[in-house]
Amino acid sequence: MREQQNILQRADKPLMIMYLMLLTIGALTVFAVNYVPGSSSFFDLSLTHGRQMIWMFISVLLGLSMLTFNSNFFTKLSIPFYVIMIVLLLVTLVVAREINGARSWLQIGPVQFQPAEFAKTATALMLAKYISGLKISDRGVRYKFIASVIILLPMLIIVLQQDVGSALVYISLSLVLYREGFAVREVIVGLLFGVGFVCSLIFDVRILLWLFSGVTLVYVLLSSEKLWRKEGARAALFTVLIILFFSAFILAFYFVQLRLVLALGAVALLITAGLLIRSSKHIRVMPVLFMYTAITAFSVYGTAMVMNDILQPHQSQRVLTLFGLSDDPDANYNVTQSKMTIGSGGLAGKGYLQGTLTQLKHVPEQTTDFIFCTIGEELGFIGTALFILLYAAFILRLTFIAERQRSPFTRIYCYAATAIFFIQILINVGMTIGLVPVIGIPLPFISYGGSSVLAFSIIVFIVLRLDADRLLILR
Amino acid sequence: MTGNAQFQNRAWVIRGLVIGVFALFLLQLLRLQVISSDYKELAKDRTVRKVTIYPDRGQIFDRNGKLIVLNKPIYNLMVIPSQVKEMDTAKFCALLGIDRDYFDTKMAAARRFSSLHASVFFPQIDGETYAGIEEYMYQFPGFFPEIRTVRGYPYASAAHVLGYVTEVDSADISRSDGYYKSGDYIGKSGVERSYENILRGKKGYRYMVVDAHNRLMGSLADGTMDEAAEAGKNVTLTIDIELQQFAEALMAGKKGAVVAIEPTTGEILCLVSSPTFDPNLLSGSNRSKNFGRLVMDEGRPLNNRALTGYYPPGSQFKAVMALLGLQSGTLTADQGYPCGGGYRMSGHTVGCHGHPAPANVVMGIQHSCNAYFCYVLRHYIDDQEGSTADNLALLKEQLASFGIGVRTGVDLPGEKPGNVPDPEDYNKIYGTNRWKSSNFITLGIGQDQMIVTPLQNANLMATIANSGYFIAPHIMKSVAGEDSLMQALNRRHQTSVNPVFFEPVIEGLSMVVKAGTARVARIDSIEVCGKTGTAENPHGKDHSQFSGFAPRNNPQIAVAVLVENSGFGATWAAPIASLVMEYYLTGTIAPSKQYLLERMLNANLLGNPIVPAPPVALPIEDPDILQRDTVVASR
Ligand SMILES: [Zn+2]
């Protein structure tokens, strides 16, 4: 008991208070969404928001009990937890029935849950465990490869479960890699990989080719700054060869008959450029070009596969809608309805429980993916702004907690938590206000859903537990 | 530890990214919620749906209280694609009489529009047909009827007067300052157009609350915000529908026009443009097909010849010329002029037919002497003070006071002004002021560049019947609560000719019928005044014309009749005008005139009449004289 009090005293108060505030807002909002004037009681636990409150209660209880764990428990747990989650994801892929177009729900007795929600935590812990176990001098190519695989493995399985939203969350972990010493360009290439994955669903693949080529070219030229300074002529010749390589490579996609010739020409140009630059230590072009070729090949050949096999029709339609490429009124419907509902709130909102559009079930998925609309309608700009600021403070607080750690494990884990919350909010709020494609992903602590509240709470409580020991242990 | 220090500044990059994204969100929220009102407006439209209630158009009655335009229900079959369930499509198609292609095309179009909102699947099913389908409709969820009304015309007559109603086009919408919305109906011609604002009523609105799936959730604020629709006002026209039908029957098989006016009030008793058509053709489901047929028809049945037909007035004009001469003082009532078979000028002769020498105005009119009125014009132009051009301008001005060369102001759309030449016209032909009265001497006998519509002719006769004034011809007799409108319609126009000068002219017109060129127009026991006219037609046979009024004392009806390409005025126009007057004044046709009635009804001057005489009880003693079968078959 004394131990626990100690822990509570040592836990980060601001983060805890913000967490509780968000949970409260979540409970009130879920109640507002399902509110029927004159017949709803806030304390009726049989209703939707009642079930949500039970889950919140369980989450807080579980979280508090987790504070009593030894913080070493989490480092030790990392690897088994990650392995178990990967297995669970694979099991889910096989046994799950389709719900809302995705095979991501696992049924155990009466309880339904989404392993993907918990796999985020497992991946964050695993990443922290792996990176913190290495000396700085050991962080070479092998390190970068393994770190990438830790992130990409669950992501790939989740993509196969046709849960694109959850899969996109893993892209955010590249922020952690960035903080842990990945070069900016490597992170950019990684992000490009992720963004390219989404974009390749939207744009003509040939435009993507030009995009990737441009980015790669700029990347190569910038990273060879020293080369330009010392060996201008060789750099110029190299640049010309690389431009010719890109041209031949791109033209290969346009001219079907000449494809083989052009492809061979591109390879020849690439080898010439490589030989020319071989002796220079100022540029490392081969990994970049390898990455480039991989990404293009993935976007070009992956597009058809992803569009047709992985992405649900409604999802690809929504992606198209965001970019104004679809005139299907029903696909536009969700975004327009959502923006209308938020817009109708005006500056001060219609008042809590006064959201007419909310009560009319104006927006689809209103308790889950589009719950932000209700905040927008009932509390207006004042409410949404305060809400956004609260989230910003919450996330920034996470980064401050991360930076004050002596333990790399805790730091990495805190950054993973930061990244996960950040992308969840980025995608969820972004889609409701029309800045991001409509991709089903919950708003942490607010959206209805037991798995989601529990999983996000666990992430927060692990941060609190690890942080509480920041002065005691150096892991 | 060292690794931490090395990349610590990156924490700020990450925080910067977070702050940047959240700032972007705040800006977008500011735009959506505070700055832009687009989404608020949209929100009103989408969730609180404004359902338009279409008012019934006003019904139209004739002067005797007979209902001539009514509303009948039709059904637009609507579909909401998202509510369509699996169904027996073959049966559905069979019920509607459509094929699978139509079904697929329409469903695809409806889905393209929206799967949640209703689109028209099959428009304008008439009441009887719908009754046959109704009992099966429950088998086809997602389909439902929308009731609208279309116009019905029990007398199948007076198409040009009544006009027709159709869906608004984009021009109507942009002109209307936001009143009309796509799918609304609007009067496109005739009374329907000129009294659109009165007939259409006021659209009402019901504010219905619907959810994102377009399911009805109830009415907003218990309907307190709803605006009730106001039905259009019923109106009574000046038309006598039976007279109209009678005149139409007489004109069947002929091209031309009949206009009858009550002189003391300016009320139009009938207005016929022939060929005409059954107005029911332009209402309901086959509207566009029928409209296309009428547009393509060589007889131009959609033209309203009574208001827009351009014809030289011919000898009918002589009555006006006499009045202007008398008023100017260049003619006295007992002035005689020689007529040795015509009016001789240096270059050529205006010919005349054999008749006693016209010793005065009455005889000039009675015998329709060309020479006499050439003299009248010459003296009018040459003997008055002022130049030739001045006096021609005066002539034009005085004619305008008779409603000639200007629009009479009838309350029907599309009226044309006709034409009276002015000095500029002759300046162009002969050079400025290098012309004199002999250059346009035939103006005196209603030729040269004189153009008059049948309506203007009828109005002219009403003016003469009134001895010097007219009320602008109008079609609207009464609308409840529109007093100022009725006052405006009944404004009196005084001519520039002193009433005393009308007496000899009226005597002349009476003599025309008693003992002149229009003896065929006589009616037993009623003194008819009138004047034939034979309008020269450079493109073929002359147009037969007659205009007149009756009875001479206390005139009740003024009529103008024009029958295209049929020769002398006395042959067709005069008998038709006479029958119209007799029917109106006595309610029947005397036995002695039955032969004339028979001849007029059966005369087919076109070879192939477009539309049959309407099926009405005509004042005919032996119905067999109407050989309508041939006409019906040609439909
Ligand atoms: Zn003569």
Side-chain angles (χ1 to χ4, degrees):
Chain A
M1 197 60 203
R2 194 162 162 260
E3 169 80 352
Q4 198 170 340
Q5 266 178 346
N6 258 340
I7 281 287
L8 274 177
Q9 270 163 14
R10 277 183 287 143
D12 188 69
K13 298 288 175 316
L15 189 72
M16 198 142 183
I17 290 167
M18 285 190 277
Y19 162 73
L20 291 174
M21 281 171 75
L22 286 167
L23 270 194
T24 312
I25 293 172
L28 289 171
T29 311
V30 171
F31 176 66
V33 170
N34 298 292
Y35 177 73
V36 177
S39 69
S40 296
S41 157
F42 186 75
F43 298 100
D44 184 346
L45 296 184
S46 68
L47 298 173
T48 312
H49 83 281
R51 287 197 296 275
Q52 182 75 349
M53 295 219 302
I54 292 170
W55 274 110
M56 286 173 176
F57 185 68
I58 292 172
S59 300
V60 174
L61 215 60
L62 185 68
L64 289 174
S65 66
M66 279 168 67
L67 289 181
T68 64
F69 294 179
N70 188 318
S71 58
N72 280 327
F73 172 78
F74 297 105
T75 47
K76 286 184 184 141
L77 183 73
S78 300
I79 296 173
F81 188 29
Y82 182 76
V83 172
I84 290 169
M85 284 322 298
I86 294 290
V87 171
L88 260 183
L89 284 175
L90 285 170
V91 169
T92 310
L93 183 62
V94 177
V95 304
R97 277 176 302 126
E98 212 176 281
I99 294 176
N100 287 335
R103 297 175 174 277
S104 57
W105 290 87
L106 202 59
Q107 180 114 27
I108 300 174
V111 184
Q112 259 192 343
F113 82 111
Q114 256 181 312
E117 293 288 353
F118 300 95
K120 292 170 200 166
T121 319
T123 309
L125 285 170
M126 183 66 208
L127 203 58
K129 174 79 177 174
Y130 174 69
I131 298 175
S132 64
L134 293 170
K135 289 187 206 122
I136 298 297
S137 53
D138 290 344
R139 293 187 179 181
V141 174
R142 204 178 105 96
Y143 146 70
K144 286 173 180 173
F145 179 74
I146 292 177
S148 303
V149 167
I150 290 175
I151 297 171
L152 289 176
L153 183 62
M155 180 174 168
L156 183 71
I157 304 172
I158 292 168
V159 166
L160 292 177
Q161 289 178 354
Q162 306 180 346
D163 185 358
V164 177
S166 298
L168 281 173
V169 171
Y170 289 81
I171 292 178
S172 70
L173 293 177
S174 52
L175 269 185
V176 179
L177 300 181
Y178 167 72
R179 176 62 186 81
E180 290 308 310
F182 272 54
V184 179
R185 53 179 182 270
E186 287 156 355
V187 176
I188 288 177
V189 167
L191 281 176
L192 220 61
F193 188 87
V195 174
F197 164 74
V198 175
C199 287
S200 62
L201 311 175
I202 302 161
F203 299 115
D204 187 288
V205 288
R206 292 165 200 177
I207 297 169
L208 270 183
L209 282 179
W210 288 105
L211 180 77
F212 286 142
S213 300
V215 170
T216 312
L217 193 60
V218 169
Y219 173 78
V220 168
L221 294 177
L222 285 183
S223 60
S224 59
E225 186 192 349
K226 277 182 193 156
L227 183 73
W228 281 99
R229 224 182 301 135
K230 293 185 176 166
E231 297 173 81
R234 195 146 68 133
L237 185 58
F238 170 75
T239 307
V240 169
L241 287 173
I242 289 295
I243 290 174
L244 286 174
F245 158 72
F246 285 139
S247 309
F249 192 78
I250 289 167
L251 287 175
F253 285 94
Y254 282 86
F255 297 104
V256 180
Q257 306 91 331
L258 298 175
R259 181 164 291 169
L260 190 62
V261 178
L262 286 166
L264 289 175
V267 171
L269 283 162
L270 190 58
I271 291 171
T272 317
L275 288 174
L276 181 72
I277 218 75
R278 187 171 54 107
S279 53
S280 172
K281 287 173 184 164
H282 305 310
I283 185 162
R284 288 172 156 241
V285 72
M286 282 310 174
V288 176
L289 290 179
F290 172 76
M291 197 68 115
Y292 168 77
T293 315
I295 290 173
T296 12
F298 174 79
S299 2
V300 172
Y301 298 108
T303 302
M305 193 262 290
V306 169
M307 257 312 201
N308 298 334
D309 303 338
I310 298 179
L311 222 53
Q312 292 299 299
H314 71 272
Q315 280 170 327
S316 47
Q317 191 61 257
R318 286 167 179 180
V319 173
L320 294 177
T321 300
L322 183 88
F323 290 90
L325 296 173
S326 161
D327 55 357
D328 179 354
D330 291 336
N332 278 311
Y333 204 60
N334 291 351
V335 179
T336 319
Q337 300 286 86
S338 160
K339 282 160 99 179
M340 277 192 309
T341 309
I342 293 172
S344 74
L347 179 66
K350 298 175 183 169
Y352 183 61
L353 301 182
Q354 305 298 310
T356 48
L357 301 190
T358 295
Q359 282 154 23
L360 289 169
K361 306 283 169 280
H362 188 60
V363 181
E365 317 274 340
Q366 209 161 354
T367 44
T368 55
D369 297 350
F370 282 94
I371 197 159
F372 185 69
C373 295
T374 302
I375 298 176
E377 191 194 6
E378 300 197 342
L379 304 180
F381 178 67
I382 295 172
T384 53
L386 287 175
F387 180 71
I388 292 290
L389 289 175
L390 176 60
Y391 253 135
F394 179 78
I395 288 174
L396 291 175
R397 184 72 202 164
L398 280 173
T399 68
F400 281 106
I401 291 173
E403 288 298 330
R404 73 185 180 193
Q405 302 304 321
R406 278 188 282 174
S407 151
F409 179 88
T410 310
R411 182 182 69 236
I412 296 165
Y413 177 78
C414 285
Y415 266 114
T418 305
I420 290 169
F421 282 117
F422 178 52
I423 194 142
Q424 293 273 157
I425 297 159
L426 172 69
I427 293 179
N428 182 285
V429 176
M431 79 173 176
T432 59
I433 61 180
L435 293 177
V436 171
V438 176
I439 297 167
I441 178 171
L443 187 58
F445 310 125
I446 312 296
S447 288
Y448 174 74
S451 294
S452 133
V453 167
L454 189 58
F456 288 122
S457 298
I458 288 172
I459 294 176
V460 174
F461 278 105
I462 293 177
V463 169
L464 288 170
R465 180 67 194 92
L466 292 174
D467 175 63
D469 281 355
R470 69 183 179 278
L471 300 171
L472 303 180
I473 310 162
L474 178 61
R475 270 175 298 268
Chain B
M1 270 313 280
T2 42
N4 187 14
Q6 196 184 339
F7 299 110
Q8 210 158 28
N9 59 341
R10 290 190 172 184
W12 287 105
V13 176
I14 292 170
R15 287 170 194 154
L17 184 68
V18 171
I19 291 168
V21 166
F22 281 65
L24 193 66
F25 282 3
L26 288 178
L27 283 178
Q28 170 75 345
L29 283 166
L30 189 68
R31 190 176 78 85
L32 284 182
Q33 298 190 287
V34 182
I35 298 168
S36 158
S37 58
D38 294 1
Y39 288 102
K40 274 166 237 163
E41 287 303 309
L42 216 54
K44 255 181 231 160
D45 186 48
R46 280 287 180 85
T47 48
V48 179
R49 185 155 295 131
K50 200 170 166 183
V51 180
T52 308
I53 309 160
Y54 295 98
D56 276 351
R57 260 182 108 77
Q59 296 185 321
I60 302 181
F61 297 88
D62 89 335
R63 67 187 293 117
N64 298 318
K66 297 197 167 75
L67 182 60
I68 53 179
V69 181
L70 48 77
N71 299 309
K72 57 180 186 182
I74 53 141
Y75 299 83
N76 286 337
L77 191 62
M78 311 297 287
V79 63
I80 297 179
S82 67
Q83 295 176 5
V84 174
K85 303 258 158 55
E86 211 165 289
M87 61 181 217
D88 185 348
T89 312
K91 181 178 179 189
F92 185 70
C93 290
L95 277 173
L96 287 173
I98 56 174
D99 56 21
R100 187 63 204 233
D101 267 1
Y102 181 95
F103 182 88
D104 293 338
T105 318
K106 278 291 182 180
M107 283 305 289
R111 273 197 205 96
R112 264 201 308 284
F113 170 66
S114 168
S115 62
L116 297 176
H117 297 128
S119 332
V120 175
F121 179 82
F122 192 91
Q124 306 212 333
I125 305 169
D126 65 54
E128 284 164 45
T129 312
Y130 188 75
I133 313 174
E134 195 170 16
E135 56 177 308
Y136 304 103
M137 283 312 295
Y138 75 94
Q139 300 172 3
F140 309 110
F143 292 90
F144 62 94
E146 180 197 74
I147 303 176
R148 294 290 293 266
T149 57
V150 294
R151 289 303 221 183
Y153 307 88
Y155 288 86
S157 171
H160 295 99
V161 171
L162 302 172
Y164 57 93
V165 172
T166 180
E167 259 182 48
V168 289
D169 57 34
S170 51
D172 298 323
I173 294 173
S174 60
R175 266 198 305 265
S176 73
D177 283 331
Y179 180 83
Y180 294 109
K181 298 268 184 293
S182 180
D184 285 359
Y185 287 110
I186 188 172
K188 277 282 181 184
S189 73
V191 171
E192 298 277 18
R193 176 160 157 195
S194 37
Y195 291 100
E196 166 72 9
N197 291 349
I198 290 173
L199 290 169
R200 74 182 177 197
K202 197 163 143 270
K203 281 190 287 189
Y205 300 98
R206 222 178 3 241
Y207 292 87
M208 306 301 291
V209 181
V210 293
D211 71 359
H213 297 280
N214 198 30
R215 285 180 301 231
L216 220 57
M217 310 286 281
S219 68
L220 185 73
D222 291 330
T224 47
M225 284 172 67
D226 295 357
E227 295 169 41
E230 263 173 45
K233 284 183 179 168
N234 292 346
V235 300
T236 301
L237 300 187
T238 59
I239 290 288
D240 178 332
I241 195 65
E242 287 178 353
L243 182 71
Q244 175 79 21
Q245 285 187 304
F246 179 64
E248 282 178 13
L250 289 171
M251 288 301 287
K254 307 159 191 76
K255 280 188 202 169
V258 176
V259 180
I261 295 175
E262 185 175 69
T264 50
T265 59
E267 292 176 358
I268 296 172
L269 300 171
C270 74
L271 188 143
V272 178
S273 174
S274 184
T276 183
F277 57 92
D278 180 347
N280 289 303
L281 290 176
L282 293 187
S283 174
S285 48
N286 292 321
R287 201 200 87 79
S288 55
K289 199 172 70 193
N290 292 333
F291 189 78
R293 253 180 40 207
L294 292 170
V295 167
M296 298 306 290
D297 196 306
E298 274 176 49
R300 308 255 175 126
L302 289 171
N303 279 11
N304 189 345
R305 288 170 163 80
L307 266 55
T308 64
Y310 266 27
Y311 309 100
S315 303
Q316 302 165 109
F317 184 72
K318 290 168 182 166
V320 195
M321 199 58 242
L323 288 168
L324 297 191
L326 291 167
Q327 175 70 25
S328 70
T330 59
L331 174 70
T332 54
D334 51 5
Q335 174 75 49
Y337 288 118
C339 173
Y343 176 81
R344 286 181 184 77
M345 290 179 295
S346 52
H348 68 287
T349 301
V350 179
C352 194
H353 48 95
H355 59 82
N360 51 36
V361 169
V362 174
M363 284 184 77
I365 294 174
Q366 178 188 350
H367 298 295
S368 193
C369 176
N370 288 343
Y372 190 91
F373 287 97
C374 289
Y375 281 113
V376 173
L377 180 84
R378 193 178 95 189
H379 290 292
Y380 179 91
I381 296 293
D382 295 350
D383 296 358
Q384 290 196 83
E385 281 176 26
S387 67
T388 307
D390 291 343
N391 292 332
L392 180 62
L394 179 68
L395 177 85
K396 188 176 166 76
E397 191 189 314
Q398 289 192 303
L399 286 177
S401 76
F402 282 84
I404 292 173
V406 294
R407 291 185 177 85
T408 63
V410 69
D411 53 345
L412 284 173
E415 185 193 12
K416 289 200 171 161
N419 185 57
V420 176
D422 63 20
E424 270 313 302
D425 295 330
Y426 294 113
N427 282 344
K428 269 182 209 140
I429 301 171
Y430 302 106
T432 305
N433 293 332
R434 296 183 58 182
W435 45 276
K436 46 193 186 179
S437 56
S438 58
N439 289 108
F440 56 93
I441 201 73
T442 54
L443 213 54
I445 57 173
Q447 293 177 21
D448 206 81
Q449 295 178 44
M450 184 79 72
I451 299 287
V452 174
T453 66
L455 176 70
Q456 287 171 325
N457 265 334
N459 186 50
L460 173 62
M461 279 303 144
T463 312
I464 295 172
N466 290 339
S467 294
Y469 74 91
F470 69 91
I471 313 285
H474 56 272
I475 204 80
M476 184 56 62
K477 190 164 171 65
S478 67
V479 192
E482 300 279 346
D483 297 339
S484 58
L485 170 77
M486 298 323 297
Q487 261 169 9
L489 284 177
N490 285 297
R491 236 190 18 248
R492 183 180 157 129
H493 299 257
Q494 195 67 40
T495 64
S496 57
V497 175
N498 192 314
V500 298
F501 296 125
F502 281 83
E503 187 44 44
V505 173
I506 292 171
E507 172 62 18
L509 293 174
S510 173
M511 290 307 290
V512 169
V513 177
K514 274 189 200 136
T517 53
R519 284 178 295 246
V520 68
R522 274 180 299 194
I523 305 171
D524 294 343
S525 77
I526 294 172
E527 186 173 356
V528 176
C529 303
K531 184 77 195 77
T532 54
T534 305
E536 287 187 7
N537 175 13
H539 309 295
K541 220 173 166 189
D542 292 343
H543 302 317
S544 168
Q545 301 191 69
F546 178 90
S547 45
F549 60 89
R552 178 177 173 172
N553 300 312
N554 187 22
Q556 299 294 306
I557 181 170
V559 186
V561 176
L562 182 138
V563 183
E564 283 182 19
N565 314 118
S566 60
F568 294 116
T571 324
W572 300 105
I576 289 173
S578 159
L579 290 166
V580 167
M581 288 190 278
E582 181 173 352
Y583 182 61
Y584 179 70
L585 294 171
T586 68
T588 182
I589 299 295
S592 61
K593 295 281 278 291
Q594 285 289 326
Y595 78 98
L596 198 61
L597 175 62
E598 177 186 354
R599 209 176 71 195
M600 293 300 134
L601 287 172
N602 289 325
N604 185 347
L605 306 181
L606 298 176
N608 185 19
I610 299 91
V611 181
V616 285
L618 291 167
I620 301 161
E621 294 188 333
D622 175 10
D624 289 342
I625 60 173
L626 264 181
Q627 298 163 355
R628 213 180 295 122
D629 313 17
T630 55
V631 179
V632 172
S634 76
R635 188 174 188 170

